[in-house]
Amino acid sequence: MAIWLTGCAAIVVIAYLLGSFPTGYIAVKQLKGIDIREVGSGSTGATNVLRTLGKGPGAFVLVLDSLKGVLAIALVYWLFNLAANQNFIPPTIDAKLWQPLIVTLTGLVAILGHSKSIFLGFTGGKSVAISLGILLAMNWQVGLATAGVFAVCAAISRIVSLSSIMGAIAVPIFMLLLHQPLPYILFGIAGGLYVILRHRTNVERLLAGTEPKIGQKLTTEPEQTA
């Protein structure tokens, strides 16, 4: 039991550190020599990198941040497979029940790490890209459906924040429609609400009609991300 619990705890800690890895901050620092938290929205995520450095670096950060989420969940699958093969799972533990729980906890911790990075004084991004990676690793149909909602909304509105919020709202709906385990549905609700909360200043700008569209720069002062 001790080995099993230690392994689960280690995966959760690693997931936080993976989420905390400041991809956007490093990219902008290396390419432009500035702190991305001091420009645009103040976020370290792909959207602010897009506004700061353009499409190429923005896409690069988007992919890497998504891969952080994929890797965090892949580690849980790896742990359960290893434990099953090595008989580390205690007989009192039902792996089919525990795996969705650990996947959900790991996903939420990775999201928290991305927005509250230990490497950046607990600042960070808005957890959209890493959430997409987590969803793709949890259930690729849910991940692709959510990406589809984002893409359609972005094509129509040309506003990334609105598209992210619509995607966050869609996640628990897709989880329900595809009959996912209860922990995954709860992840969709909790993770979606957290992403929307991280976009609260964007919501204010949307209501005021001042939220920039794709290709436009944010002219307001950087928002607080701490």
Side-chain angles (χ1 to χ4, degrees):
M1 176 66 82
I3 295 176
W4 167 246
L5 292 177
T6 300
C8 290
I11 291 296
V12 172
V13 172
I14 292 171
Y16 173 78
L17 295 175
L18 275 173
S20 290
F21 186 77
T23 312
Y25 173 85
I26 292 174
V28 175
K29 198 72 172 178
Q30 291 297 316
L31 294 175
K32 202 169 183 178
I34 62 174
D35 187 337
I36 193 173
R37 296 172 296 174
E38 298 175 355
V39 298
S41 67
S43 169
T44 63
T47 301
N48 206 27
V49 175
L50 170 67
R51 294 189 186 120
T52 305
L53 295 181
K55 294 180 181 179
F60 177 75
V61 171
L62 174 65
V63 170
L64 286 189
D65 281 346
S66 297
L67 287 176
K68 292 193 304 185
V70 171
L71 182 56
I73 303 304
L75 286 173
V76 179
Y77 297 148
W78 170 80
L79 173 66
F80 273 80
N81 288 332
L82 176 66
N85 292 332
Q86 299 296 326
N87 295 318
F88 286 159
I89 301 179
T92 56
I93 296 296
D94 187 341
K96 291 183 179 180
L97 292 177
W98 270 73
Q99 181 167 304
L101 289 172
I102 301 300
V103 165
T104 296
L105 177 60
T106 299
L108 291 173
V109 168
I111 288 174
L112 181 64
H114 183 75
S115 60
K116 303 291 182 181
S117 171
I118 192 172
F119 304 116
L120 297 177
F122 301 102
T123 61
K126 296 181 179 177
S127 300
V128 175
I130 193 171
S131 295
L132 176 59
I134 290 167
L135 290 173
L136 288 169
M138 275 183 162
N139 182 284
W140 64 268
Q141 294 100 324
V142 173
L144 288 182
T146 303
V149 169
F150 176 93
V152 170
C153 186
I156 295 171
S157 69
R158 306 288 295 172
I159 300 176
V160 173
S161 60
L162 177 61
S163 305
S164 299
I165 291 169
M166 294 305 295
I169 293 171
V171 171
I173 297 173
F174 289 134
M175 289 290 191
L176 284 167
L177 291 176
L178 292 171
H179 308 290
Q180 294 304 290
L182 179 60
Y184 288 10
I185 296 172
L186 295 177
F187 170 85
I189 295 171
L193 287 174
Y194 185 71
V195 168
I196 293 171
L197 178 63
R198 294 291 297 170
H199 284 82
R200 58 190 180 276
T201 54
N202 301 85
V203 172
E204 293 173 1
R205 290 194 294 268
L206 285 167
L207 293 174
T210 58
E211 181 73 346
K213 295 186 177 183
I214 296 173
Q216 296 177 332
K217 292 186 179 293
L218 187 64
T219 56
T220 57
E221 290 297 319
E223 64 199 47
Q224 293 298 317
T225 58

